[in-house]
Amino acid sequence: MDVLGIDIGGSGIKGAPVDLETGELTRERLRVPTPRPAVPGAVAAEVGRIVEHFAWTGPVGVAVPGVVHGGVMRDAVNLHESWAGADAAELFGGAAVVNDADAAGLAEMTYGKGRGERGTVLMLTFGTGIGSALFVDGVLVPNTELGHLELHGHDAEHRASDRAREEHDLGWREWAGRVQDYLEHVVMLLSPSLIIIGGGVSKKADKFLPYVQVGVPVIPAALRNEAGIVGAAATAGNRRSTALP
Ligand code: BGC
């Protein structure tokens, strides 16, 4: 079955139809810039534009950079404060809505490096923020938000996200030191058996992962930047194949 997956990020909104058998995009993805300010109505209009572009009438899944319960947002700090309490599922025309890191993790666990991995697997995405997806024997514990752990008195994502690397003009090695500190903290809390690194930086893993040693395997994701789209689509696909409302 093909499902349209849409991934809302801090700088771009990307969408494409996904074949849920293979996890592959079946058409070239469309990327539009995230509107500024990224208020619910403006973002929903861009989501609508992507749906129209693909002339899509089937199921749609949307990944959002914030905490979401039953389609309703608690927040989306890197979009706009007015997302707090917004009914994203309704704004997106009844789409299935999932946290972006949870979506990326679901995709990686289904089609990528996490396939068949039991134990405590942690996917971390480094982009505008730091996203986290925690799996215990393949089952997702949603909305973990580990990017907001406190690190040296700061919100961790303000020190160790990819945006922090760019904004603070850090070399890869210097940034790797911050990632190392962050991962040590996460390992101390959760003792994962495997850490998978996703987000845009995963394709440059050779520039920083050699400097990261935390006593647990840390590997780059296989699905790269499309993981959010694929996981959003998979969430919508799953919803339709269960007896849950
Ligand atoms: C948000 C998370 C999101 C992550 C990556 C964080 O700032 O709180 O919900 O998964 O950024 O986009």
Side-chain angles (χ1 to χ4, degrees), residues 167-188:
E167 280 183 357
H168 303 169
D169 213 4
L170 304 174
W172 285 102
R173 195 165 189 157
E174 206 180 345
W175 182 67
R178 293 187 178 195
V179 173
Q180 166 83 25
D181 278 2
Y182 174 63
L183 294 187
E184 277 175 11
H185 196 53
V186 168
V187 168
M188 185 268 293

Side-chain angles (χ1 to χ4, degrees), residues 53-85:
H53 169 83
F54 291 105
W56 200 257
T57 53
V60 179
V62 181
V64 289
V67 174
V68 57
H69 286 290
V72 177
M73 305 289 297
R74 191 189 71 189
D75 57 36
V77 291
N78 290 320
L79 290 181
H80 194 269
E81 59 193 19
S82 57
W83 280 94

Side-chain angles (χ1 to χ4, degrees), residues 8 64-67 75-78 99-102 125 128-132 145 147-148 157:
I8 299 174
V64 289
V67 174
D75 57 36
V77 291
N78 290 320
N99 171 266
D100 58 355
D102 286 344
T125 62
T128 307
I130 298 178
S132 60
E145 294 290 313
H148 299 298
E157 74 175 22

Side-chain angles (χ1 to χ4, degrees), residues 17-32:
V18 178
D19 176 352
L20 293 186
E21 287 297 314
T22 60
E24 278 166 16
L25 309 193
T26 56
R27 288 181 56 188
E28 195 182 332
R29 71 166 205 191
L30 176 69
R31 181 187 192 277
V32 298

